[in-house]
mmCIF file of all heavy atoms in Angstrom:
data_model
loop_
_atom_site.group_PDB
_atom_site.id
_atom_site.type_symbol
_atom_site.label_atom_id
_atom_site.label_comp_id
_atom_site.label_asym_id
_atom_site.label_seq_id
_atom_site.Cartn_x
_atom_site.Cartn_y
_atom_site.Cartn_z
ATOM 1 N N PHE A 119 164.842 105.257 67.430
ATOM 2 C CA PHE A 119 165.196 104.607 68.714
ATOM 3 C C PHE A 119 164.007 103.892 69.309
ATOM 4 O O PHE A 119 163.965 103.613 70.514
ATOM 5 C CB PHE A 119 165.737 105.627 69.698
ATOM 6 C CG PHE A 119 167.053 106.233 69.312
ATOM 7 C CD1 PHE A 119 167.128 107.409 68.608
ATOM 8 C CD2 PHE A 119 168.253 105.594 69.650
ATOM 9 C CE1 PHE A 119 168.344 107.952 68.218
ATOM 10 C CE2 PHE A 119 169.476 106.114 69.307
ATOM 11 C CZ PHE A 119 169.530 107.333 68.576
ATOM 12 N N SER A 120 162.989 103.578 68.486
ATOM 13 C CA SER A 120 161.815 102.912 68.951
ATOM 14 C C SER A 120 162.145 101.539 69.577
ATOM 15 O O SER A 120 163.016 100.809 69.062
ATOM 16 C CB SER A 120 160.854 102.713 67.794
ATOM 17 O OG SER A 120 159.647 102.140 68.202
ATOM 18 N N MET A 121 161.483 101.259 70.681
ATOM 19 C CA MET A 121 161.634 99.960 71.377
ATOM 20 C C MET A 121 163.016 99.735 71.960
ATOM 21 O O MET A 121 163.413 98.620 72.238
ATOM 22 C CB MET A 121 161.282 98.799 70.444
ATOM 23 C CG MET A 121 159.857 98.850 69.901
ATOM 24 S SD MET A 121 158.610 98.706 71.199
ATOM 25 C CE MET A 121 158.928 97.061 71.813
ATOM 26 N N CYS A 122 163.751 100.811 72.226
ATOM 27 C CA CYS A 122 165.024 100.693 72.971
ATOM 28 C C CYS A 122 164.651 100.712 74.459
ATOM 29 O O CYS A 122 164.800 101.763 75.137
ATOM 30 C CB CYS A 122 165.948 101.836 72.576
ATOM 31 S SG CYS A 122 166.576 101.784 70.901
ATOM 32 N N ILE A 123 164.214 99.602 74.905
ATOM 33 C CA ILE A 123 163.568 99.538 76.236
ATOM 34 C C ILE A 123 164.557 99.690 77.402
ATOM 35 O O ILE A 123 164.133 99.895 78.514
ATOM 36 C CB ILE A 123 162.799 98.216 76.383
ATOM 37 C CG1 ILE A 123 163.705 97.018 76.188
ATOM 38 C CG2 ILE A 123 161.625 98.167 75.411
ATOM 39 C CD1 ILE A 123 163.050 95.675 76.496
ATOM 40 N N GLY A 124 165.860 99.607 77.118
ATOM 41 C CA GLY A 124 166.837 99.808 78.163
ATOM 42 C C GLY A 124 167.370 101.224 78.261
ATOM 43 O O GLY A 124 168.105 101.567 79.176
ATOM 44 N N LEU A 125 166.926 102.086 77.334
ATOM 45 C CA LEU A 125 167.426 103.484 77.272
ATOM 46 C C LEU A 125 166.970 104.284 78.453
ATOM 47 O O LEU A 125 165.769 104.357 78.765
ATOM 48 C CB LEU A 125 166.933 104.100 75.969
ATOM 49 C CG LEU A 125 167.630 105.404 75.495
ATOM 50 C CD1 LEU A 125 169.113 105.159 75.272
ATOM 51 C CD2 LEU A 125 166.945 105.878 74.206
ATOM 52 N N THR A 126 167.902 104.878 79.188
ATOM 53 C CA THR A 126 167.604 105.586 80.444
ATOM 54 C C THR A 126 168.025 107.042 80.317
ATOM 55 O O THR A 126 168.676 107.467 79.377
ATOM 56 C CB THR A 126 168.305 104.949 81.607
ATOM 57 O OG1 THR A 126 169.722 105.038 81.411
ATOM 58 C CG2 THR A 126 167.889 103.506 81.780
ATOM 59 N N GLY A 127 167.670 107.839 81.366
ATOM 60 C CA GLY A 127 168.135 109.201 81.480
ATOM 61 C C GLY A 127 167.371 110.199 80.655
ATOM 62 O O GLY A 127 166.152 110.035 80.488
ATOM 63 N N SER A 128 168.082 111.147 80.074
ATOM 64 C CA SER A 128 167.416 112.305 79.432
ATOM 65 C C SER A 128 167.682 112.328 77.927
ATOM 66 O O SER A 128 168.727 111.845 77.456
ATOM 67 C CB SER A 128 167.904 113.578 80.050
ATOM 68 O OG SER A 128 169.277 113.792 79.837
ATOM 69 N N ILE A 129 166.714 112.899 77.221
ATOM 70 C CA ILE A 129 166.894 113.212 75.808
ATOM 71 C C ILE A 129 166.700 114.731 75.699
ATOM 72 O O ILE A 129 165.581 115.243 75.911
ATOM 73 C CB ILE A 129 165.863 112.478 74.903
ATOM 74 C CG1 ILE A 129 166.093 110.967 74.973
ATOM 75 C CG2 ILE A 129 165.985 112.979 73.480
ATOM 76 C CD1 ILE A 129 167.414 110.501 74.427
ATOM 77 N N GLU A 130 167.765 115.423 75.389
ATOM 78 C CA GLU A 130 167.730 116.871 75.232
ATOM 79 C C GLU A 130 168.174 117.232 73.822
ATOM 80 O O GLU A 130 169.322 117.089 73.463
ATOM 81 C CB GLU A 130 168.644 117.517 76.299
ATOM 82 C CG GLU A 130 168.201 117.208 77.706
ATOM 83 C CD GLU A 130 169.046 117.899 78.768
ATOM 84 O OE1 GLU A 130 169.251 119.138 78.659
ATOM 85 O OE2 GLU A 130 169.549 117.203 79.671
ATOM 86 N N PHE A 131 167.174 117.639 73.011
ATOM 87 C CA PHE A 131 167.455 117.949 71.623
ATOM 88 C C PHE A 131 168.116 119.296 71.479
ATOM 89 O O PHE A 131 167.665 120.271 72.092
ATOM 90 C CB PHE A 131 166.148 117.917 70.816
ATOM 91 C CG PHE A 131 165.528 116.593 70.653
ATOM 92 C CD1 PHE A 131 164.460 116.193 71.434
ATOM 93 C CD2 PHE A 131 166.036 115.687 69.696
ATOM 94 C CE1 PHE A 131 163.888 114.934 71.303
ATOM 95 C CE2 PHE A 131 165.425 114.444 69.536
ATOM 96 C CZ PHE A 131 164.369 114.060 70.338
ATOM 97 N N PRO A 132 169.182 119.399 70.667
ATOM 98 C CA PRO A 132 169.738 120.717 70.373
ATOM 99 C C PRO A 132 168.748 121.533 69.557
ATOM 100 O O PRO A 132 167.910 120.964 68.854
ATOM 101 C CB PRO A 132 171.007 120.397 69.597
ATOM 102 C CG PRO A 132 170.706 119.064 68.953
ATOM 103 C CD PRO A 132 169.855 118.334 69.928
ATOM 104 N N ASN A 133 168.891 122.844 69.553
ATOM 105 C CA ASN A 133 167.931 123.709 68.852
ATOM 106 C C ASN A 133 168.195 123.709 67.333
ATOM 107 O O ASN A 133 167.461 124.382 66.601
ATOM 108 C CB ASN A 133 168.026 125.131 69.409
ATOM 109 C CG ASN A 133 167.439 125.180 70.806
ATOM 110 O OD1 ASN A 133 166.547 124.420 71.179
ATOM 111 N ND2 ASN A 133 167.947 126.134 71.596
ATOM 112 N N THR A 134 169.122 122.907 66.864
ATOM 113 C CA THR A 134 169.345 122.717 65.430
ATOM 114 C C THR A 134 168.316 121.797 64.823
ATOM 115 O O THR A 134 168.127 121.754 63.600
ATOM 116 C CB THR A 134 170.742 122.186 65.153
ATOM 117 O OG1 THR A 134 170.924 120.998 65.965
ATOM 118 C CG2 THR A 134 171.820 123.201 65.491
ATOM 119 N N VAL A 135 167.632 120.968 65.660
ATOM 120 C CA VAL A 135 166.716 119.939 65.159
ATOM 121 C C VAL A 135 165.483 120.588 64.540
ATOM 122 O O VAL A 135 164.803 121.401 65.158
ATOM 123 C CB VAL A 135 166.328 118.976 66.261
ATOM 124 C CG1 VAL A 135 165.207 118.010 65.848
ATOM 125 C CG2 VAL A 135 167.538 118.154 66.734
ATOM 126 N N GLN A 136 165.151 120.157 63.297
ATOM 127 C CA GLN A 136 164.029 120.694 62.553
ATOM 128 C C GLN A 136 162.878 119.684 62.414
ATOM 129 O O GLN A 136 161.732 120.099 62.203
ATOM 130 C CB GLN A 136 164.467 121.134 61.170
ATOM 131 C CG GLN A 136 165.555 122.213 61.176
ATOM 132 C CD GLN A 136 166.079 122.524 59.790
ATOM 133 O OE1 GLN A 136 165.499 122.123 58.781
ATOM 134 N NE2 GLN A 136 167.195 123.255 59.710
ATOM 135 N N SER A 137 163.192 118.391 62.480
ATOM 136 C CA SER A 137 162.161 117.394 62.352
ATOM 137 C C SER A 137 162.494 116.137 63.134
ATOM 138 O O SER A 137 163.656 115.741 63.252
ATOM 139 C CB SER A 137 161.961 117.035 60.843
ATOM 140 O OG SER A 137 163.129 116.395 60.338
#
Side-chain angles (χ1 to χ4, degrees):
F119 293 94
S120 183
M121 300 297 295
C122 292
I123 58 174
L125 196 58
T126 62
S128 64
I129 296 295
E130 299 183 50
F131 291 100
N133 291 332
T134 53
V135 172
Q136 300 173 14
S137 65

